[in-house]
Every structure is written in structure tokens, then in C-alpha cells.
Amino acid sequence: MASNSSTVSVDDVPTNGLSTDQSTTQEAEEVPEGWQCTICLSDEGDVIQRGCCCRGDAGAVHLECLIELAVHNTATLGDDGGWTECDTCKEPFTGVAQRGLANARYQQALELPEDDDERMSATSMKCNALFNAGKYADAAELEKAVLEMYHRKLGDDHDHTLIAASNLAMTYERLGQYVESAELHHRVLEARTRVNPQDISILRTKHALANTFRSQGKLADAAEMLREVVAAWTDAVGADHPETLGAIGSLALALTALGRPSEAAVYQERVLTAERRIFGPDHPKVLTDCSVLAQSYREMGKFVEAGELQREVLAKRIASLGVDHPETTLATGNLAVTLKDEGQYDEAIRL
């Protein structure tokens, strides 16, 4: 996820993109009683997890303190990264922290002219927060305004305009407006190809368009385009790059939807092996993709392999989140279903 900036730069306009499905961060949530805010060192008031990759009390913070720090850094250092990512782990904020920061920045920017760079960046940040919160209709309304503003200020083929169009296209997809989504993706793809046929962003646009094809039920078209994207990303940035792994994951989803879980599992195993090596065995992204691969195994009738992965996920969810966390509950349910399919009813009931 890109950050926002007070100057217009392509790297500073946030994209909804695929970041939602590929997030490696944790959702912000209330922390245990007694934890202190890492900024003001007080445990009074509502202390939350900032939703980045800081674990335990290292991620505890007051939302108000986080906002004050972002304002201070922007004013004194000219660095507005504090609105979007953690100073410690350098990962983006999510959940409560992301939404709170986006709302504060957006409200502050409303005092600026409509076409001011900071106001446009703050509005884009607000759109991204709404999208990640699942408020797609609200996000779409703001994204239309952002797209129109970039269109008037920078022209049809500017990177910012094309990124804004891509964001709106992905929001349309989440709203089930697949025709509108595909049309916008096609427009972006044509523009990028016309401006610079070697632009690496073309691959991101094709990836997003393929996902829209999958949502439309055009599964063969989606799989064909994603194979092309996977090959191109592998050549461009390597097999273990996040862009490559994200495209492989999307290809596996298309193959699963085509009723080809065995082929999907090959790609999911490839992703999981790379993620274990890159992030380590306990990373939330690794655990999520363990569950995805386990589902493919279950659909293939490989209940033992599925159960092994699901037991690993459950044990690590309990260790990191506790027995009552929603992710732990989900992991317990997944394992119970597999055990029932395998005929181990007593063990399933004990869960």
C-alpha cells in the first residue's frame, strides 16, 4: 500500500489494489487492561493495537496520541508517513488505527482548496480506509470525486488519474458492479499501454482485471490472464516477490473456482513455501495461507494433510491471540469440519 504525500507523486497515492487480500498486518483491536500507550506511556483511556506488525504491548497506543504524532511529524519534519505507517515496523496501519487517522487527516484537509495536493492525498487515504472497512458504497462516492479532480488537474493519462480509476474499478467489483469495473480496468490498461508499453503497472492492471473476470464467472479468461501475469512478474522481479506471490495466489483462486483444487494446491504450496522462508512460520500471512491450502487439501480428500495444517494454525492462533479470539474460533471450526469429513467425530466434538 502506498503512502500519501502533500506533493503529487505516483508513489504517494494509495491504491486499494490487492493489498486488502495480501495484508500481512493485524487488525487493530482493544488490548488487555493495564497495557500502556507507547507514545504517552499512560494506560488510561482507550488503548488499542495500532494494527501494524508490532506485536504485544509494542503495538499499544491511544488513537489520539497517534493522530497528534502524525500532525507533529508532518508540521515539523515534513514527513506525513505517520498518517499511514508505523514508525517502528514500517508496516501500514489497519483497522481502528487506520480509520481514525484517515478520518482525522480528511477532516483537517477539508479546510484546504478542493484541488490542493494535501486535500487530494487525504481524500485518497479516506477512500482507502473506507474500502478496507468494507464501506464500498461510501468509498465509491469519494473515489469518483478523486478521479474527477485528478482528471481535471492532471489529465486522463497521468499516473494519479489512472491509479484513481483503478481504485474505483476495484471498489465497483466489491459492489458487484462487474461491468463498470471491467470497463474502467480496460480503460486504464489501454492508457498505460499507450503511454509506456514497458510500464510495470500494466501487470497490476491485468491482475486486477483478471480478478474482475473471476468475479464475473469468466474463470477461464481469468486463469489465462493470471498465468500470463505470473510469468511476467517472475521474469521482472523474481519468483519470491510479493507481486509474483500475489498473482500466484489469485491464479490458485481461479483454479479452485474452476473445480481444479489439485492444480490450485500446487500454486498454493509454492506461495506458502516462499512465505515461510520470507516471513517465518508464525507470521499471520503464513497462517492465513496455511488455512487456504488446507481447504484445497480437504476438497481433494486429503484430510490428513488438511488436518495437520489446521492443527498448526490453531495452535499458533491460541498462542498469539488466545482461545477466545475470532481467528482462533475460525481455526477451530475449520479443523472440526475436516475431522468430521475424516470420520473423527469424537475429536471434532471435543473441539
Side-chain angles (χ1 to χ4, degrees):
M1 183 184 299
S3 63
N4 291 279
S5 174
S6 58
T7 59
V8 178
S9 165
V10 66
D11 292 332
D12 295 329
V13 179
T15 59
N16 293 337
L18 302 166
S19 63
T20 304
D21 295 332
Q22 299 172 31
S23 175
T24 58
T25 55
Q26 63 180 356
E27 172 75 7
E29 59 185 34
E30 292 186 3
V31 301
E33 185 177 353
W35 279 15
Q36 294 182 338
C37 170
T38 54
I39 297 175
C40 73
L41 303 181
S42 170
D43 62 357
E44 296 182 358
D46 294 327
V47 179
I48 63 168
Q49 274 281 1
R50 65 185 74 194
C52 54
C53 277
C54 293
R55 295 295 185 258
D57 58 3
V61 70
H62 290 121
L63 178 57
E64 295 80 3
C65 292
L66 204 56
I67 292 170
E68 288 179 11
L69 181 62
V71 171
H72 172 79
N73 288 345
T74 301
T76 61
L77 304 177
D79 177 14
D80 61 356
W83 289 108
T84 58
E85 71 177 29
C86 173
D87 285 342
T88 303
C89 70
K90 306 305 180 184
E91 291 291 335
F93 299 119
T94 63
V96 176
Q98 183 195 44
R99 292 191 291 274
L101 285 161
N103 287 336
R105 187 181 187 187
Y106 178 68
Q107 291 300 320
Q108 177 178 287
L110 287 177
E111 300 176 0
L112 302 172
E114 190 178 44
D115 63 349
D116 182 87
D117 291 342
E118 167 59 17
R119 177 163 175 174
M120 293 170 74
S121 293
T123 305
S124 294
M125 181 180 171
K126 173 73 171 179
C127 291
N128 199 42
L130 289 169
F131 181 93
N132 289 336
K135 297 182 178 181
Y136 304 122
D138 292 338
E141 288 304 309
L142 269 185
E143 285 168 344
K144 291 175 187 176
V146 170
L147 177 57
E148 177 59 27
M149 184 56 63
Y150 279 128
H151 168 76
R152 292 202 307 268
K153 185 174 182 178
L154 302 173
D156 288 345
D157 292 343
H158 193 280
D159 283 328
H160 276 41
T161 308
L162 298 178
I163 290 171
S166 294
N167 285 350
L168 179 56
M170 283 178 273
T171 303
Y172 278 152
E173 181 191 350
R174 294 301 178 93
L175 287 168
Q177 298 176 228
Y178 304 128
V179 173
E180 294 86 346
S181 175
E183 287 177 352
L184 271 178
H185 282 313
H186 277 298
R187 281 168 48 189
V188 172
L189 184 58
E190 290 170 1
R192 289 202 178 280
T193 304
R194 182 177 61 254
V195 172
N196 179 9
Q198 306 305 316
D199 185 356
I200 202 71
S201 295
I202 290 172
L203 297 182
R204 297 189 182 99
T205 303
K206 286 184 175 181
H207 188 169
L209 177 57
N211 284 341
T212 297
F213 284 160
R214 177 167 56 85
S215 297
Q216 285 180 294
K218 297 179 178 180
L219 302 176
D221 291 341
E224 180 181 357
M225 183 169 285
L226 285 165
R227 289 184 195 278
E228 174 188 335
V229 171
V230 168
W233 274 124
T234 302
D235 290 342
V237 296
D240 288 351
H241 192 277
E243 295 280 9
T244 308
L245 297 178
I248 294 171
S250 293
L251 175 56
L253 288 174
L255 292 170
T256 298
L258 280 166
R260 291 149 64 177
S262 297
E263 191 175 351
V266 172
Y267 288 106
Q268 290 163 346
E269 289 167 348
R270 179 175 162 186
V271 170
L272 186 57
T273 298
E275 289 176 344
R276 287 186 190 276
R277 182 171 62 254
I278 295 167
F279 301 124
D282 298 334
H283 196 278
K285 175 64 174 169
V286 172
L287 299 184
T288 296
D289 286 339
C290 278
S291 297
V292 172
L293 177 57
Q295 177 63 22
S296 291
Y297 283 158
R298 194 172 69 82
E299 291 179 8
M300 295 162 60
K302 299 173 73 171
F303 301 123
V304 173
E305 292 86 344
E308 288 175 353
L309 282 175
Q310 289 168 334
R311 285 187 175 88
E312 175 187 349
V313 171
L314 179 57
K316 290 176 178 177
R317 292 297 193 198
I318 291 173
S320 63
L321 301 174
V323 295
D324 296 326
H325 193 277
E327 290 289 347
T328 306
T329 302
L330 179 61
T332 302
N334 288 340
L335 177 56
V337 170
T338 298
L339 290 171
K340 290 178 181 177
D341 288 342
E342 197 177 1
Q344 299 188 37
Y345 300 110
D346 290 342
E347 186 176 353
I349 291 173
R350 285 197 296 273
L351 290 175

